[in-house]
Amino acid sequence: MIPNEEKKGLKPVTKAILAILLVVLVIGGYYGLKFYKVYFAPNITGNEKYLYVRTGYTLDDVFKELKHKDILTDVGSFSQAAAKMELARSLKPGRYKVSKGMNNRSLINMLKAGNQDPVKLKFQNIRKKENFAGYLSRNLEPDSLAFISLLDSASLIEKYGFNKDNIYTLFIPNTYEMYWNITPAEFFDKMHAEYDKFWNAERKQKAAALNLSPVQVAILASIVDSEALYDKEMPIIAGLYLNRLNKGILLQADPTVIYANDDFTVKRVTNALLQVQSRYNTYKYAGLPPGPIMMPSINAIDAVLNRDQNNYIYMCAKEDFSGYHNFAVTVQEHEKNAKKYRDALNKRNIYK
């Protein structure tokens, strides 16, 4: 049994211990909460889906971007975490997906590791190199001039075995994944790898059987693609143009004249338009034009390689404006079809 004096003597000691424990808990709780807030508390607003860190950006540039886009709930806590985790030393450029509720630690680790969300590029039927460069610059970091300068670069053209007129046939329309900060040179290397993959032995054999190179197939496919509103007509149109090529007849393809005049609002090719002095004017110059008149689709390329075996020499848009064509073997048949179409244009007051 403990004497009353001893019982009384324990009370001050117990109180002191409890007080110390309480102080420790308060201090520990304070720093624990602060640690949690700096590293683990949700800090992304969800106002933006992506954070873009441009090549050459400093940490200050990233802070400005975060503030300008209102991406963070608490910029101060991110700044503290970034300093402690030495983000400035390992910051990597790129396009980073951010989502509401993400914490500072996750975001910083992502920026340090360069764990980007890839861009999906889907392109086809883009008319000119300039349009393509513009499309790329809207979806990737480099500007359009950087892409154009390489497209016009003699060294790049020689590297891939093309020329300035036909380099556009390098690009096989499809959907591709790549990082936002890819350089133009890396982009073209990737496209060339895709080109080599597309032009496999089977396709090359089919091109050779037509006495055409892959580049020539793509150039013809660009005309076929411009003529055909419906994919099922592509092999027929391809067969017709191959018939003309093999017989040494001018292609006389209206889309090439429109391209040569650089006026894509034209609905009716007139005699005045036919006078344009351009290698792309297939009413004046025999054979294929020097380059494609648009980026042909894979369907159009394969339509040329698997062209319909027919005897057609002439074609004309149907007078019902359905987008389909009337095909003819003789000039007499064609004149009848052409007159029906001209009459339909006149009836609708379409003269240019």
Side-chain angles (χ1 to χ4, degrees):
M1 189 171 177
I2 302 173
N4 288 337
E5 293 83 5
E6 289 183 23
K7 286 183 181 179
K8 289 177 183 177
L10 288 174
K11 287 183 180 179
V13 175
T14 303
K15 285 181 179 180
I17 292 171
L18 288 173
I20 292 169
L21 287 174
L22 182 60
V23 169
V24 170
L25 285 172
V26 169
I27 294 173
Y30 169 78
Y31 282 104
L33 184 62
K34 187 175 181 181
F35 184 84
Y36 171 78
K37 185 177 180 182
V38 169
Y39 294 102
F40 298 103
N43 197 29
I44 301 297
T45 61
N47 292 330
E48 293 285 335
K49 289 185 178 180
Y50 296 98
L51 168 63
Y52 293 88
V53 179
R54 301 192 72 85
T55 301
Y57 260 17
T58 65
L59 189 55
D60 284 341
D61 294 320
V62 174
F63 286 146
K64 288 175 185 176
E65 187 77 8
L66 290 167
K67 290 176 183 176
H68 176 67
K69 297 287 182 65
D70 194 24
I71 291 174
L72 296 178
T73 302
D74 181 359
V75 178
S77 68
F78 178 81
S79 179
Q80 291 179 57
K84 291 288 186 182
M85 295 176 70
E86 299 184 324
L87 175 58
R89 292 179 58 185
S90 306
L91 178 65
K92 293 181 174 60
R95 170 184 180 262
Y96 297 96
K97 188 172 184 179
V98 293
S99 54
K100 189 174 183 179
M102 182 183 285
N103 59 50
N104 292 331
R105 185 172 180 274
S106 297
L107 177 56
I108 292 168
N109 281 336
M110 187 165 62
L111 297 176
K112 288 175 69 175
N115 291 332
Q116 301 184 55
D117 194 49
V119 175
K120 282 189 178 181
L121 289 182
K122 183 178 182 180
F123 50 81
Q124 70 174 46
N125 299 339
I126 299 176
R127 200 177 297 281
K128 302 178 83 172
K129 287 190 293 186
E130 295 78 7
N131 304 131
F132 186 46
Y135 169 79
L136 294 177
S137 69
R138 289 191 296 273
N139 291 277
L140 301 171
E141 182 183 15
D143 62 24
S144 59
L145 289 177
F147 287 110
I148 283 291
S149 64
L150 268 189
L151 276 169
D152 291 337
S153 164
S155 59
L156 177 122
I157 290 167
E158 290 170 7
K159 175 182 176 182
Y160 295 134
F162 296 87
N163 62 44
K164 193 172 180 180
D165 291 314
N166 64 34
I167 183 65
Y168 201 34
T169 63
L170 167 68
F171 307 105
I172 304 299
N174 215 327
T175 300
Y176 301 100
E177 279 195 356
M178 58 194 68
Y179 290 129
W180 171 76
N181 60 320
I182 191 172
T183 67
E186 290 169 340
F187 173 78
F188 290 130
D189 283 342
K190 181 176 177 62
M191 290 297 97
H192 187 251
E194 294 293 337
Y195 179 89
D196 285 342
K197 191 188 303 181
F198 176 81
W199 282 104
N200 54 30
E202 183 183 359
R203 283 193 172 100
K204 285 180 179 178
Q205 286 172 357
K206 288 182 177 181
L210 298 172
N211 293 316
L212 298 176
S213 68
V215 167
Q216 290 172 319
V217 169
I219 292 172
L220 180 53
S222 74
I223 298 174
V224 171
D225 219 343
S226 297
E227 292 275 24
L229 183 60
Y230 303 104
D231 285 3
K232 63 182 180 180
E233 271 200 344
M234 286 183 179
I236 303 172
I237 296 171
L240 182 154
Y241 280 127
L242 283 166
N243 291 339
R244 295 182 79 97
L245 281 174
N246 292 334
K247 291 176 183 292
I249 302 171
L250 291 171
L251 292 185
Q252 295 184 328
D254 287 356
T256 67
V257 176
I258 292 170
Y259 182 89
N261 280 276
D262 198 24
D263 182 357
F264 302 103
T265 65
V266 170
K267 295 181 180 179
R268 183 172 187 168
V269 174
T270 63
N271 284 330
L273 294 176
L274 295 178
Q275 305 313 309
V276 63
Q277 292 298 324
S278 168
R279 291 289 302 171
Y280 286 88
N281 183 354
T282 56
Y283 276 79
K284 282 185 174 291
Y285 294 91
L288 293 166
I293 60 172
M294 66 181 298
M295 184 184 290
S297 64
I298 289 176
N299 285 346
I301 294 172
D302 284 339
V304 173
L305 295 175
N306 301 284
R307 54 62 173 102
D308 181 59
Q309 297 275 8
N310 59 58
N311 296 316
Y312 296 134
I313 300 296
Y314 306 96
M315 63 183 286
C316 181
K318 283 196 171 184
E319 65 279 4
D320 60 3
F321 297 97
S322 62
Y324 286 100
H325 294 82
N326 286 315
F327 299 95
V329 175
T330 67
V331 68
Q332 290 81 9
E333 291 177 88
H334 176 62
E335 281 302 327
K336 290 177 183 177
N337 294 332
K339 184 179 184 306
K340 286 188 287 187
Y341 185 60
R342 286 195 301 269
D343 289 345
L345 288 173
N346 293 339
K347 189 175 180 180
R348 296 193 180 199
N349 296 316
I350 300 173
Y351 296 103
K352 63 178 183 177

